[in-house]
């Protein structure tokens, strides 16, 4: 799994959680919650789905490190590589 694969999974999960969002609205460097108006519960759903898809659990203390698609992909990839 590479960074682009992870980004694709993140986008799929965002679209699944918030079907009213169009894929072209997702900017990879923008804060996911703020730019897409996703509440904290939906953001947690995305993180839970990413855990299911990648096996990487993101602890609450690290939520600020996964605030954008790019940051989340980097965090997950780093976690996979260090296992």
């Amino acid at each position: 799994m590479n960074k682009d694969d992870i980004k694709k999974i993140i986008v799929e999960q965002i679209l699944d959680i918030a079907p009213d969002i169009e894929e072209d609205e997702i900017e990879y460097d923008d804060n996911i919650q703020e730019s897409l108006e996703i509440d904290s519960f939906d953001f947690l759903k995305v993180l839970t789905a990413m855990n299911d898809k990648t096996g990487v659990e993101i602890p609450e203390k690290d939520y600020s490190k996964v605030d954008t698609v790019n940051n989340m992909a980097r965090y997950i990839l780093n976690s996979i590589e260090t296992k």
Side-chain angles (χ1 to χ4, degrees):
M1 185 176 299
N2 64 35
K3 192 172 179 181
D4 288 335
D5 295 333
I6 296 169
K7 286 181 192 180
K8 183 177 179 185
I9 295 169
I10 294 167
V11 169
E12 288 171 356
Q13 298 314 306
I14 291 170
L15 296 174
D16 189 47
I17 299 298
D20 55 320
I21 294 172
E22 298 293 328
E23 186 170 351
D24 62 353
E25 294 178 69
I26 300 172
E27 296 290 334
Y28 288 8
D29 288 317
D30 287 352
N31 182 289
I32 295 169
Q33 286 182 269
E34 291 174 9
S35 66
L36 302 175
E37 298 178 2
I38 292 175
D39 64 26
S40 57
F41 183 71
D42 283 341
F43 185 69
L44 182 59
K45 286 182 184 178
V46 172
L47 297 180
T48 301
M50 292 308 298
N51 181 12
D52 293 344
K53 299 286 185 182
T54 66
V56 174
E57 184 174 345
I58 302 168
E60 188 174 349
K61 68 179 179 64
D62 289 344
Y63 287 2
S64 64
K65 297 178 183 177
V66 295
D67 58 342
T68 70
V69 172
N70 281 329
N71 289 345
M72 189 180 298
R74 189 172 17 258
Y75 182 98
I76 290 170
L77 184 61
N78 185 49
S79 295
I80 291 171
E81 291 175 344
T82 58
K83 280 188 175 180

